[in-house]
Amino acid sequence: MPSTLPEGDPAPSDGALPPSAADGLGTRPFSLYLHVPFCQTRCGYCDFNTYTSDELGPGATRTSYVDTALAELRLARRVLGDVELPLETIFIGGGTPTLLPPADLGRLVSAAADEFGLVARAEVTTEANPESVDARSLDALRASGFTRISLGMQSAAPHVLRTLDRQHTPGRPELCVAWARAAGFDHVSLDLIYGTPGESDHDWRASLEAAIGAGPDHVSAYALIVEPGTRLAGQVARGELAAPDDDALADRYLVADDLLSAAGLDWYEVSNWALDDDARCRHNLGYWRGADWWGIGPGAHSHVGGTRWWNVKHPAAYAQRLAAGQSPAHGREVLDDEARHAERVLLELRLADGIPLDVLGPTAMPAAARLVTDGLLDSVAFDDGRAVLTLRGRLLADGVVRGLLP
Ligand SMILES: C[S@@+](CC[C@H](N)C(=O)[O-])C[C@H]1O[C@@H](n2cnc3c(N)ncnc32)[C@H](O)[C@@H]1O
Ligand code: SF4
């Protein structure tokens, strides 16, 4: 089941933001995230806010969802006033957005463009499960304005896909990449997961080779996280499946970086590799660099000018709020300077561009110098005034961040 939300402060029912959020609005990049909270079946490892038909219950349906989300889009425009906010990026994520017909996803994109406008060469992404798209639907998505597609491949090994409860057959993600290319998508990304119980070194290499062979211009590779409350967590607790081993995960990461960089895909964030600057996910870069975004949908998070808020989680509660003309926000927090600094270090240090040393501040310099000596921060970048993780530093990124915070 999906995990619970933080509490935070109560959010006003009209969705109004504190005055501090309006400071500088329109001078920072602005993006839209749209959450589609539906999946055909639930993968045993996943605790994202998503519902199968059986889990959904009354009060919300897939067919009514787009109109409900459009009500929040209009609320967003009202709350943000008449400041010009052309969208840098739109990202439709899930759940499984491609369970909705392409025409529905197209309606979301065109309504967002009508309300806010789009910058020239805006990035418009949808996530997709390989079994839920085909050549025709990809053509239709491209025609409705999507420029980028992110496909959940996870693995090429049949037994790994089975352990993960994935519904597609090996080979299908590669076909989807070819169809997406033929449809004219500018950018195609594949998601992989490593460290699944029963996955061998050979399985992982074969998955990377299959992904690279398909010709995406972007790959994300995530270590399998055993999320509390998931079916996977139960299987691990009962000893039916082995928990991912830290040393094996580190080895898998090194193999991933080796094979991906040999294929011309360079890391630009600890878990993300791209063929060139153009292929980097601009939407996610916005998250990592503290841009403004409005998250539409049940459980979606937003961030505008240091105020963060999150929506009610269940699709029925979400629909009910909007039908009553109220904001679906459940709680919010205004970040103080200390929290903003910690967040900036945590997110920007994971980027290949790193973080300027003057942002870390003089008190962090002795620790930063020690991290260079320990081989976790790059010495050349350090001499140029930036903290940038080395390959070993990427394996220990969380510890490096802890070392640099007061
Ligand atoms: C939540 S999914 C949404 C997109 C789509 N439904 C899919 O499965 O590809 C986005 C990515 O998060 C990954 N993910 C979800 N839970 C994870 C976990 N516990 N550990 C690692 N990756 C996870 C998914 O496998 C997928 O690649
Ligand atoms: S398909 Fe994606 S969002 Fe749905 S349960 Fe599986 S990992 Fe989670």
Side-chain angles (χ1 to χ4, degrees):
M1 288 304 290
S3 56
T4 49
L5 284 170
E7 272 312 313
D9 301 324
S13 64
D14 62 358
L17 298 176
S20 60
D23 282 351
L25 188 65
T27 60
R28 298 174 296 266
F30 183 69
S31 290
L32 209 60
Y33 172 76
L34 284 139
H35 189 67
V36 176
F38 310 115
C39 283
Q40 197 67 45
T41 57
R42 176 179 291 277
C43 308
Y45 59 92
C46 178
D47 79 340
F48 277 63
N49 192 37
T50 185
Y51 302 81
T52 61
S53 309
D54 288 349
E55 291 168 345
L56 196 55
T61 63
R62 284 184 201 166
T63 38
S64 57
Y65 181 66
V66 168
D67 285 322
T68 308
L70 291 181
E72 189 185 357
L73 180 72
R74 288 189 292 272
L75 174 118
R77 186 64 275 192
R78 271 199 313 279
V79 166
L80 294 167
D82 49 13
V83 183
E84 276 203 34
L85 290 167
L87 298 166
E88 280 285 324
T89 66
I90 301 175
F91 192 106
I92 305 194
T96 306
T98 42
L99 270 188
L100 300 183
D104 275 7
L105 299 179
R107 274 177 71 207
L108 288 170
V109 171
S110 56
D114 286 349
E115 290 290 348
F116 289 98
L118 297 174
V119 301
R121 303 190 64 248
E123 177 191 273
V124 185
T125 303
T126 184
E127 289 183 333
N129 287 28
E131 72 281 6
S132 66
V133 286
D134 56 22
R136 251 168 69 152
S137 64
L138 288 165
D139 278 343
L141 288 168
R142 179 69 191 104
S144 7
F146 288 91
T147 63
R148 184 172 184 277
I149 186 139
S150 173
L151 293 150
M153 172 173 178
Q154 320 309 358
S155 173
H159 67 101
V160 173
L161 291 174
R162 265 198 308 278
T163 303
L164 291 175
D165 300 322
R166 299 297 297 191
Q167 300 302 304
H168 64 266
T169 44
R172 177 86 184 183
E174 296 91 310
L175 267 177
C176 292
V177 174
W179 290 328
R181 291 291 189 201
F185 277 88
D186 300 339
H187 302 294
V188 184
S189 179
L190 290 173
D191 279 3
L192 293 172
I193 287 184
Y194 56 93
T196 301
E199 179 192 65
S200 66
D201 288 345
H202 174 266
D203 292 332
W204 178 232
R205 277 184 183 275
S207 296
L208 285 161
E209 279 161 7
I212 291 165
D217 65 353
H218 186 284
V219 171
S220 304
Y222 304 111
L224 179 67
I225 298 170
V226 181
E227 300 284 1
T230 57
R231 202 157 56 238
L232 174 67
Q235 291 166 312
V236 168
R238 291 191 298 275
E240 294 162 16
L241 292 175
D245 168 77
D246 282 348
D247 290 339
L249 290 177
D251 285 347
R252 299 270 150 84
Y253 183 87
L254 295 175
V255 171
D257 192 62
D258 200 26
L259 296 193
L260 291 168
S261 30
L265 290 145
D266 291 323
W267 79 289
Y268 70 100
E269 192 273 349
V270 171
S271 304
N272 290 278
W273 288 259
L275 213 46
D276 52 38
D277 285 0
D278 226 31
R280 296 176 173 198
C281 177
R282 283 159 56 196
H283 187 83
N284 287 338
L285 280 168
Y287 293 156
W288 298 323
R289 291 187 172 141
D292 289 342
W293 79 89
W294 193 294
I296 287 184
H301 287 238
S302 303
H303 170 264
V304 173
T307 295
R308 236 191 338 223
W309 70 95
W310 44 92
N311 286 347
V312 290
K313 250 187 135 158
H314 198 280
Y318 174 77
Q320 211 172 25
R321 288 274 194 105
L322 285 157
Q326 290 173 355
S327 157
H330 171 75
R332 77 175 185 197
E333 62 184 341
V334 180
L335 301 175
D336 61 18
D337 288 347
E338 195 185 328
R340 286 178 89 154
H341 175 74
E343 191 152 293
R344 182 165 180 194
V345 175
L346 181 78
L347 296 173
E348 278 190 37
L349 192 71
R350 293 174 61 87
L351 297 174
D353 296 339
I355 187 161
L357 293 178
D358 55 12
V359 171
L360 294 176
T363 51
M365 280 314 102
R370 262 195 316 278
L371 289 163
V372 173
T373 313
D374 293 346
L376 300 177
L377 288 180
D378 184 86
S379 58
V380 176
F382 190 76
D383 291 341
D384 283 347
R386 299 190 77 80
V388 175
L389 294 168
T390 58
L391 180 55
R392 213 162 77 76
R394 281 190 260 158
L395 294 172
L396 301 167
D398 293 343
V400 175
V401 168
R402 277 195 298 277
L404 293 172
L405 289 175

